Amino acid sequence: MSDYFIETWTSANGLPHNSINAIAQTSDGYLWFATWEGVARYNGLEFVRFDRGPDTQMKDSGTRALATGPDNQLYAGGARGSLVMRQGFSWQGLPTAPSLINDALHDQTGGLWLAVEGMGIAYYAPEQLSQPDPTPQTFIDTLSSYHLTQTADGQVYAATEKGVYQLSLQNGATPLSFHNLFRKAFYVSSGQDGSLLVGSENGAWRYKNSRWTPLASELLHQAITMVEQDSRGAYWFGTLSHGIAHMKDQHIDFLDDHRGLPNNRILSWFEDNEGSIWIGTNGGAMRLRYAPFVTLTKDNGLAGDYVRTVLADDTVWAGASEGLSQIDIVQGNAKVLAKDISVLSLAPRAQGGVWVGTYQQGLYYWHQGALTPAETLNDQLPDNEVRAIVERDGALWVGTPRGLVTFSSLPGSQPAHSSTVYQKRAHYNSQNSALPGNYIMSLTFDETGKLWIGTGSGAGYLINETITPLDFTEQEQAQYVFGFFHEPGYVWMATDRGIVRYRQSDSQLALVGRPHGLPIDKFFQIIKGDDQSFWLSSNRGIWRVNYHHAHQVADKTRARIDFEHYDQSDGMLNSQANGGSNPAATKTAAGDIIFATAQGVTSVKPARLSQMLSQPLPIVMQNVHFDGQAINPEASNRAPAGTNRVSFSYAALGYTMPEQIQYRTQLEGFESEWAYRHENHIAEYTNLPPGDYTFKVSARYPYSNWSDDVLSYRFSVTPSLWQRSDIRALGFLALVTLAYGGFMWRIRRMQQKEAQLKALVEEKTHALQAQADDFERMSKEDALTGLANRRAFDEYWHLAFDEANQSGQPLQVAILDIDHFKRINDQHSHLVGDQIIQRIGSFLDKEREQLSHIARWGGEEFTLLFAGTPADGYRYFDGLRRRIAALTLDDIAPSLKVTVSIGVAGNHQASDYVDGLKQADQALYRAKRDGRNCVRQRSGHESQPS
């Protein structure tokens, strides 16, 4: 099971109860978990519980069985015979069973089969499910039945306390003869070849062509609570007290509580639409999925977990602080070649095997099954710490903390004796050459014959025995050069200020780093994958950037570069990739990319990752609120007159990397373009004018195309009486009639009344204008705070940006977000949340002497404009953050405190006003990622939470 990444959930993570009795997935993509405290729905990020109550119509919260139907139905059965069906947003009570429901099966014809404790099997025909009190057809009603399955040919089978029965509406229940191989059948399922798979108190069995054969001899005499075959052909066996077993190609592997299983008693098993395996136990749920990254450690055969260097040639070598290992990537294991030696660097050896650089033990080589010290070479090294090695054209180059040494081979030497093959030719250091620094960390040859040298004080290249140093002054004064990647015409360097490109044609250097959107400075190694991406290792995980985009940024034809970030949630056991010696990452002939980390060797298959990210992302609407009132979007699509706030909660049901799913939304009828929402799955709109709207959501994984599956919800906002066009027309007609009648009356009365008539007309006209002005104001004002709304801010920001750029004045735009606002709503109520938004809005409104414009942008976000330099803006916004954190909110909720995160960007750094907002939003994203309660600025200023 080494290819699987293991994750677990318990009641501490949101499950209603730790006993996971059943698992299912409805056709909309939701995952469902049956527990003794209700049914939990999972969207990849959070659980939502449904238990006994008028909404669900459950007779009891204890749920034992789940089944699904083709039209997005979910059937849930359990204690007291409770049986309900959920479809979309609605729950429907179904006929109650006479006892605890152990399992349910929605068959191919639409009928529903129930396995009932102590009372056999009950069957309801499709038409009976809508009847108030139908009488089911029953089978073996004196036995306890535990599990049901239907084979591809439509046959239904039941596992009972007296073995396995075949069920037929015409012929009743027929027992399958099992020749005393077992007495009680706990579980029955279908194999891929049409066979029956049975779990019993005496092992797991396969039944085909009237013959029983054991599935795994190792499991005989064990109680098997479940047996299933997954889509890859592997078998899974659940036990009462020994965890779960996995069998592939007759090899069986056990997973128990010592390897991360929450509990050794297996209650349920499920394979989801993405191929992940879910296991329900008495102590919680576990998922085994093919994560993007797979990590091998000492448990898989490595000499040590702290790996400093990896090298791929015909095999994969790994050097760790505890020894040298050889890795079989296909089998997912390793073997120790040498122990008790701290390996820093590796390189291919011309005579076969590899060169091995160590910490304080000099240079070794592995050849023909033995690790041998290069004693003659070590005697000539300036330091026994070897961080980089390269061999080419009969010359060996060794990098140490005291400079670079080159050895040349002697003609006629015997390769088997390393001490006689090479002699020292030169020693380069910063005193006798132009070497930038003595501390050598990386070496490589490019296609032109240059030897590239990375040090702790810069980089340079050697050709014709002359070293040419590089000037990194304009590359943010980069110093540490940890690794190289060379390609025809270019050499890329991983540095402590991003990645730097050297162009061979004109010796020009170009930086791709923080100024272009990368969130960190220090990268250790650059590997180009077969997916046309650069893979970058760092202390904070693995990063992927588009190869062509990196060149475009270096060519200054692209301003920013997007990235993907991978860490422990993606299969790494430790986010810290190691660097400082070479190579710290490598690529195999099959395209696997391998990284040395602080906890093992981590590998990724870019092709498999691309396949994972290409999975369709079904999008569901989780809830819709009109002025805070939840509505059923399937039954209602009309917001009442006077509705001020409309909010939507949505989710893309992808479980591979749910935290990285990105969203965009568009409200047709209000917005002309898509709004990029990052990972936020809530959208809110205020003060929508009456009319018809369509809310749309699209999702994607980073670097993927937006999903073709677009969620749409059509709704309308009802106009108030005074907003209706017919009422306005009647009012206008009445006004005209009145004016005309008054005019005729004044004509008849006397011409001296003409002045009064003009005054009256002017008065009415002014009233109409005032009303129109009120309408205009309401369309640009946030009802909850009285501040300008998003529409008004966008108009003001556009003009202010253009004016500031024309005048040359600096202008800072900030997006302020209330931290953990959903937690405030969940813990204190939406009313308290609204009061917090009002309090923050009132507080900001008092800052108008410093701020040129203030608006509520939506939800818990505010936008602010500050006239001044980035440094002045940073000081002001950091002070604002601190003052908000110090607000006393006891009148709203005792002991309640709030903090805010602020992202800031300046007009001089943005190409247009839209780009300015985007940069502020990205800075806000950094503030949230860095722990919240801080200020992050496009210019690089930042504050820490305090």
Side-chain angles (χ1 to χ4, degrees), residues 151 157 164-166 174-179 181-182 188-191 193-199 204-215 227 235:
T151 57
Y157 296 87
V164 180
Y165 283 78
Q166 181 178 355
T174 304
L176 301 185
S177 175
F178 46 87
H179 311 296
L181 297 173
F182 54 85
V188 60
S189 64
S190 301
D193 60 356
S195 62
L196 284 183
L197 310 177
V198 176
W205 298 86
R206 179 175 178 268
Y207 180 78
K208 190 173 184 182
N209 299 328
S210 302
R211 293 186 59 191
W212 292 93
T213 54
L215 274 170
V227 54
Y235 292 95

Side-chain angles (χ1 to χ4, degrees), residues 17 113 238 300 435 602:
H17 191 275
W113 300 78
N300 307 106
L435 191 67
T602 292

Side-chain angles (χ1 to χ4, degrees), residues 223-240:
I224 303 302
T225 57
M226 57 76 44
V227 54
E228 291 274 4
Q229 188 175 20
D230 66 24
S231 60
R232 301 174 183 87
Y235 292 95
W236 298 82
F237 309 94
T239 71
L240 276 176

Side-chain angles (χ1 to χ4, degrees), residues 292-295 310-312 316 329 525-537 542-545 572 584-597 601-607 609:
F293 290 80
V294 175
T295 300
V310 287
L311 175 68
V316 177
I329 291 294
Q525 201 82 47
I526 306 170
I527 300 292
K528 183 184 176 185
D530 295 339
D531 58 345
Q532 295 301 302
S533 295
F534 272 156
W535 293 82
L536 314 175
S537 63
I542 306 301
W543 308 77
R544 181 166 73 150
V545 300
M572 299 180 70
T586 188
K587 185 174 80 169
T588 69
D592 294 5
I593 300 175
I594 302 170
F595 302 92
T597 80
V601 169
T602 292
S603 66
V604 61
K605 297 179 183 293
L609 176 61

Side-chain angles (χ1 to χ4, degrees), residues 141-154:
D141 53 11
T142 61
L143 297 181
S144 286
S145 52
Y146 306 118
H147 197 262
L148 299 160
T149 193
Q150 185 173 34
T151 57
D153 60 3

Side-chain angles (χ1 to χ4, degrees), residues 775-796:
F775 294 161
E776 176 67 13
R777 177 183 56 79
M778 291 176 65
S779 71
K780 295 185 177 182
E781 181 178 283
D782 176 62
L784 185 62
T785 63
L787 298 174
N789 63 12
R790 180 172 182 168
R791 177 182 176 187
F793 175 82
D794 287 347
E795 293 177 359
Y796 186 93

